């Protein structure tokens, strides 16, 4: 039998296979293009990953999105939605200015409240809403090559409570959070399936800072990395989530971040506002708290998102954020006499990146007052002190150290300082 008729067929098959191979090679680029959302409009994204509680994902990408953008997760209030958060806040407009991407999670359950109370929600990868939100972040990072070192959470009311939960569950994901009218991580916990915790809402649940911090640490046992910074806002006349929750949030996050509960700075940026900063004095303090005198639960107003943006470090018109070391170590010794002492501090960058500009925050024992110092500028003279680098020692290479010191008066306690943080990162001591 002749085989001649088979040759054209073989040729056709080879040609088809070549075309198919070429199509497969081109497929990833085409898929990446079709996955990306339209710019300058709110877009619902589906199929973004694990989503045990059936959340919706809305995304806003500005026309001028940067090559490796930051990501802000903006979480709505009870009865709200992702589109309502998009329309009712300035995050999309700020994204237009600074080139970051905004994720707006949206609840589909009837209450329109986020799950901040179930055992699943209060555990890393435990299930419920936090897992779905983490999937939204992962999708955005993959699709836009987002900067994993610049992911932030913010929210109002239920969204503020979820901001606390997200930072507790995923400390390795978020760089900072801003919670408007919320409660501490774990405060709303229930075991009966209820979404509401009246005791917490009423401000009657109080713990020590250590107890609050332990609740956060239990969400991700064994985690020893850098923790996200936290900004909290609350009105003194809040009748939904009572004002004592504000103080409990401060206790929780100062403990988690290893800084003193004594403010490093206090001011009034707007009449009727009291702003306290803990662990440092600048815009990037480990914890920042803003109390609004005479204001109720619905405190969020235009302009507040821009202040949160400054705290995050995404506002290019503000001071540049301090470089964050991967890890640090401080050795502290004192040499005392009857009413005075000298202290020597050696700061070591145990991370893998160069630090160019640093602030070392620590707490002096009660009764000690710095009278002069060397190697840094020390402010204030007592309590929660921040030492700011001199011009000649601003850079600390990986595994390198700088030595600084001060002289102080004391009233009997000549111990070394404690609670060291370097640019917001908690340092080990030796």
């Amino acid at each position: 039998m002749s085989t001649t008729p088979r040759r054209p067929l073989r040729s056709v098959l080879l040609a088809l296979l070549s075309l198919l191979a070429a199509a497969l090679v081109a497929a990833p680029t085409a898929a990446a293009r079709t996955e990306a959302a339209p710019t300058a409009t709110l877009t619902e994204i589906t199929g973004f990953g694990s989503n045990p509680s059936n959340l919706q994902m809305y995304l806003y990408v500005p026309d001028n999105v940067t090559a490796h953008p930051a990501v802000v997760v903006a979480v709505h209030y009870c009865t709200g939605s992702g589109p309502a958060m998009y329309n009712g806040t300035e995050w999309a407009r700020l994204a237009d200015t600074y080139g970051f991407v905004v994720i707006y999670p949206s609840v589909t359950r009837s209450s329109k409240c986020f799950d901040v109370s179930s055992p699943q929600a209060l555990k890393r990868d435990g299930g419920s809403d936090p897992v779905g939100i983490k999937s939204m972040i992962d999708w955005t990072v993959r699709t836009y090559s987002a900067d994993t070192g610049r992911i932030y959470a913010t929210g109002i009311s239920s969204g503020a409570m979820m901001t606390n939960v997200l930072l507790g569950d995923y400390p390795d994901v978020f760089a900072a959070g801003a919670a408007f009218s919320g409660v501490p991580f774990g405060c709303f916990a229930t075991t009966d399936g209820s979404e509401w915790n009246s005791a917490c809402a009423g401000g009657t649940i109080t713990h020590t800072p250590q107890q609050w911090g332990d609740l956060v640490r239990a969400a991700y046992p064994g985690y020893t990395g850098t923790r996200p910074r936290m900004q909290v806002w609350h009105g003194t006349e809040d009748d939904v989530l009572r004002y004592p929750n504000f103080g409990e949030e401060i206790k929780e996050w100062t403990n988690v971040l290893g800084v003193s509960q004594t403010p490093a700075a206090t001011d009034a940026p707007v009449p009727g506002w009291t702003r306290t900063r803990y662990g440092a004095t600048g815009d990037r303090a480990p914890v920042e708290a803003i109390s609004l005198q005479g204001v109720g639960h619905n405190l969020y107003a235009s302009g507040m998102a821009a202040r949160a943006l400054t705290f995050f470090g995404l506002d290019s018109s503000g001071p540049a954020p301090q470089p964050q070391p991967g890890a640090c170590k401080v050795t502290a010794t004192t040499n005392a006499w009857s009413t005075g002492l000298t202290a020597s501090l050696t700061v070591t960058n145990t991370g893998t990146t160069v630090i160019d500009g640093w602030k070392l925050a620590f707490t002096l024992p009660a009764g000690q007052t710095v009278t002069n110092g060397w190697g840094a500028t020390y402010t204030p003279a007592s309590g929660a002190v921040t030492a700011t680098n001199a011009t000649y020692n601003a850079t600390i290479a990986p595994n390198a150290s700088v030595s600084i010191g001060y002289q102080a008066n004391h009233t009997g306690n000549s111990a070394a300082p404690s609670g060291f943080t370097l640019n917001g990162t908690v340092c080990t001591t030796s």
Side-chain angles (χ1 to χ4, degrees):
M1 180 181 293
S2 171
T3 59
T4 303
R6 296 184 182 179
R7 291 190 185 114
L9 178 60
R10 188 180 300 118
S11 300
V12 170
L13 288 173
L14 288 172
L16 288 172
L17 287 171
S18 298
L19 289 171
L20 179 59
L24 289 173
V25 168
T29 302
R33 285 197 299 268
T34 58
E35 282 180 1
T39 59
T41 186
L42 187 68
T43 304
E44 183 175 4
I45 305 297
T46 59
F48 50 83
S50 178
N51 185 23
S53 53
N54 195 33
L55 298 178
Q56 292 174 292
M57 174 184 176
Y58 291 89
L59 191 73
Y60 182 80
V61 181
D63 282 332
N64 64 332
V65 62
T66 59
H68 299 286
V71 177
V72 173
V73 181
V75 194
H76 68 73
Y77 41 87
C78 282
T79 74
S81 66
M85 193 72 173
Y86 165 76
N87 289 313
T89 65
E90 312 97 291
W91 285 108
R93 178 176 58 78
L94 292 168
D96 288 336
T97 300
Y98 297 107
F100 58 85
V101 175
V102 189
I103 298 171
Y104 298 94
S106 196
V107 170
T108 58
R109 63 178 65 89
S110 59
S111 68
K112 300 298 183 180
C113 296
F114 284 91
D115 176 14
V116 296
S117 57
S118 74
Q120 292 78 20
L122 298 175
K123 180 181 178 182
R124 179 185 179 83
D125 296 336
S128 197
D129 296 348
V131 169
I133 295 173
K134 173 63 162 53
S135 295
M136 298 178 195
I137 295 168
D138 291 342
W139 184 93
T140 304
V141 168
R142 290 193 306 268
T143 305
Y144 293 94
S145 299
D147 184 347
T148 57
R150 295 190 301 149
I151 297 175
Y152 305 88
T154 187
I156 302 169
S157 189
S158 179
M161 293 192 277
M162 178 53 73
T163 297
N164 278 264
V165 169
L166 289 171
L167 267 60
D169 284 356
Y170 297 103
D172 54 331
V173 172
F174 294 96
F180 295 84
S181 303
V183 303
F185 177 99
C187 183
F188 238 63
T190 59
T191 56
D192 59 0
S194 172
E195 295 180 32
W196 190 258
N197 186 318
S198 296
C200 178
T204 62
I205 294 180
T206 61
H207 293 307
T208 66
Q210 183 68 36
Q211 289 169 333
W212 280 124
D214 287 345
L215 286 175
V216 173
R217 288 181 285 269
Y220 188 5
Y223 178 72
T224 59
T226 301
R227 294 276 179 175
R229 297 177 297 111
M230 176 60 101
Q231 182 189 65
V232 294
W233 300 67
H234 222 101
T236 61
E237 301 303 314
D238 193 324
D239 59 354
V240 178
L241 301 173
R242 298 283 183 177
Y243 186 67
N245 284 299
F246 178 64
E248 300 302 300
E249 282 181 291
I250 294 170
K251 286 158 62 176
E252 181 169 73
W253 291 105
T254 52
N255 180 267
V256 168
L257 288 159
V259 299
S260 172
Q261 283 188 267
T262 301
T266 302
D267 65 356
V270 172
W273 294 14
T274 300
R275 178 172 61 189
T276 48
R277 287 167 167 167
Y278 303 84
T281 59
D283 289 334
R284 314 292 185 267
V287 178
E288 181 174 273
I290 302 96
S291 172
L292 282 68
Q293 182 65 39
V295 176
H297 184 63
N298 298 322
L299 66 75
Y300 183 85
S302 178
M304 291 181 178
R307 291 181 179 273
L309 195 77
T310 297
F311 178 76
F312 292 166
L314 296 180
D315 180 357
S316 62
S317 66
Q322 294 292 329
Q324 298 297 309
C328 50
K329 181 178 71 174
V330 176
T331 302
T333 60
T334 59
N335 182 18
W337 57 93
S338 57
T339 60
L341 60 86
T342 58
S344 297
L345 309 177
T346 300
V347 184
T348 303
N349 175 10
T350 55
T352 58
T353 58
V354 174
I355 301 169
D356 187 10
W358 52 265
K359 293 180 183 292
L360 180 71
F362 54 86
T363 302
L364 287 179
Q368 291 189 17
T369 303
V370 174
T371 56
N372 61 76
W374 51 93
T377 301
Y378 300 82
T379 55
S382 60
V385 177
T386 298
T388 303
N389 65 266
T391 55
Y392 63 84
N393 64 4
T395 299
I396 313 176
N399 299 314
S401 302
V402 296
S403 293
I404 62 175
Y406 58 85
Q407 183 172 330
N409 294 329
H410 70 82
T411 58
N413 187 347
S414 59
S418 59
F420 294 98
T421 63
L422 186 64
N423 291 353
T425 295
V426 177
C427 300
T428 59
T429 56
S430 61

